[in-house]
């Protein structure tokens, strides 16, 4: 899951309420194909839609870290037994949603994601609408290099073990947030920030074999993290 808006880590004029700043304020998500099963667009933080029964869809505090939810929460909101807000992928249909409030405040409740396609093939397209012309790519902080205003840490997780592993972001929950499976002698790229912690389990098990916390010492450069 993710939000479509950008924050201060992305570029300087991100705030549409200050000095003619600009950001994405609306998204039109277009479905180009029918999907036989799965593939819904889900809004896990929505609690005001028709059909919501008051259940706890995600664990408390999820909205404090935009762009992440626990793996078990993601599985539940994609389950059609839950009352989460989901949009079924049907060719010719579209979803319109807003990333800002009427006053330009960025809305963390616009968090959304694509549920796994169970059967069939999904093709889709985005149209992003900005308050004002979007900034050029050269203004992005992650392109300014190690001597600029770059806050991102670029990592490659390298699996040196003999078995496949699963990488998780530690969001404070027991399960963490799944990121990727990494086969032996393969790498998985990751952009992150200072203080973010990741852990590794042997694939399809609960056995934790590795933990890593990103540090500003690696800011602005690529770091290869060896999983042993």
């Amino acid at each position: 899951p993710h939000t479509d808006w950008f924050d201060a880590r992305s570029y300087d004029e991100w705030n549409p309420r200050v000095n003619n700043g600009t950001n994405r304020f609306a998204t039109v998500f277009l479905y180009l194909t029918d999907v036989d099963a799965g593939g819904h667009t889900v809004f896990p933080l929505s609690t005001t839609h028709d059909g919501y029964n008051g259940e706890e869809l995600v664990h408390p505090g999820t909205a404090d870290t935009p762009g992440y939810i626990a793996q078990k929460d993601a599985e539940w909101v994609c389950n059609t037994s839950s009352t989460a807000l989901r949009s079924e992928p049907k060719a010719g249909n579209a979803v319109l949603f807003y990333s800002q409030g009427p006053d330009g405040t960025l809305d963390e409740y616009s968090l959304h994601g694509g549920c796994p396609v169970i059967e069939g093939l999904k093709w889709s397209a985005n149209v992003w609408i900005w308050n004002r012309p979007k900034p050029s790519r050269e203004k992005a902080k992650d392109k300014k290099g190690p001597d600029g205003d770059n806050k991102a840490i670029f990592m490659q997780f390298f699996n040196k073990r003999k078995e496949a592993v699963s990488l998780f972001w530690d969001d404070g929950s027991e399960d963490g947030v799944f990121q990727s499976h990494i086969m032996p002698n393969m790498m998985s790229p990751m952009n992150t920030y200072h203080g973010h912690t990741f852990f590794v389990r042997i694939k399809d098990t609960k056995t934790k074999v590795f933990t890593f916390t990103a540090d500003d010492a690696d800011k602005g450069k690529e770091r290869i993290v060896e999983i042993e």
Side-chain angles (χ1 to χ4, degrees):
H2 58 278
T3 55
D4 280 358
W5 48 261
F6 300 96
D7 61 16
R9 296 172 298 183
S10 303
Y11 58 95
D12 291 331
E13 297 85 15
W14 62 274
N15 190 344
R17 305 174 69 192
V18 177
N19 296 330
N20 291 323
T22 186
N23 216 314
R24 294 172 179 168
F25 81 85
T27 297
V28 181
F29 188 73
L30 309 164
Y31 299 110
L32 307 181
T33 57
D34 291 326
V35 178
D36 296 328
H40 295 74
T41 303
V42 64
F43 296 82
L45 301 183
S46 174
T47 57
T48 58
H49 55 279
D50 291 341
Y52 176 63
N53 67 0
E55 66 176 319
E56 183 176 280
L57 295 169
V58 298
H59 71 275
T62 295
D64 296 336
T65 308
Y68 292 97
I69 64 173
Q71 179 68 16
K72 65 178 181 180
D73 293 341
E75 292 172 355
W76 175 239
V77 296
C78 282
N79 189 316
T80 54
S81 297
S82 77
T83 58
L85 178 60
R86 288 181 301 275
S87 173
E88 184 178 3
K90 290 292 184 183
N93 286 358
V95 177
L96 167 65
F97 61 92
Y98 294 88
S99 295
Q100 301 175 23
D103 63 350
T105 302
L106 302 181
D107 185 5
E108 66 270 19
Y109 285 86
S110 64
L111 182 78
H112 60 284
C115 296
V117 173
I118 299 171
E119 185 178 348
L121 185 66
K122 180 180 178 180
W123 285 89
S124 58
N126 278 317
V127 178
W128 290 304
I129 304 167
W130 293 68
N131 302 81
R132 299 174 182 87
K134 69 179 182 179
S136 66
R137 190 69 181 89
E138 286 69 27
K139 291 186 176 182
K141 291 183 178 180
D142 64 358
K143 298 293 286 185
K144 290 186 177 181
D147 297 324
D149 196 17
N150 183 3
K151 292 185 172 67
I153 300 170
F154 309 98
M155 299 187 301
Q156 293 272 5
F157 284 94
F158 176 53
N159 182 13
K160 296 184 67 176
R161 299 179 65 88
K162 295 180 179 180
E163 68 274 347
V165 299
S166 299
L167 176 66
F168 295 83
W169 175 68
D170 188 352
D171 66 340
S173 68
E174 181 180 352
D175 293 333
V177 180
F178 173 74
Q179 302 296 307
S180 64
H181 296 307
I182 313 175
M183 302 303 291
N185 297 314
M186 298 296 290
M187 288 189 177
S188 180
M190 180 69 60
N191 291 353
T192 190
Y193 296 91
H194 177 77
H196 284 197
T197 297
F198 300 84
F199 62 85
V200 172
R201 290 190 173 116
I202 297 173
K203 187 174 180 290
D204 298 328
T205 77
K206 292 290 187 180
T207 304
K208 188 182 295 186
V209 295
F210 183 82
T211 301
F212 174 82
T213 300
D215 188 272
D216 269 345
D218 294 314
K219 183 170 62 177
K221 57 187 178 183
E222 186 176 67
R223 165 77 184 274
I224 297 178
V225 180
E226 296 183 346
I227 301 169
E228 298 182 306

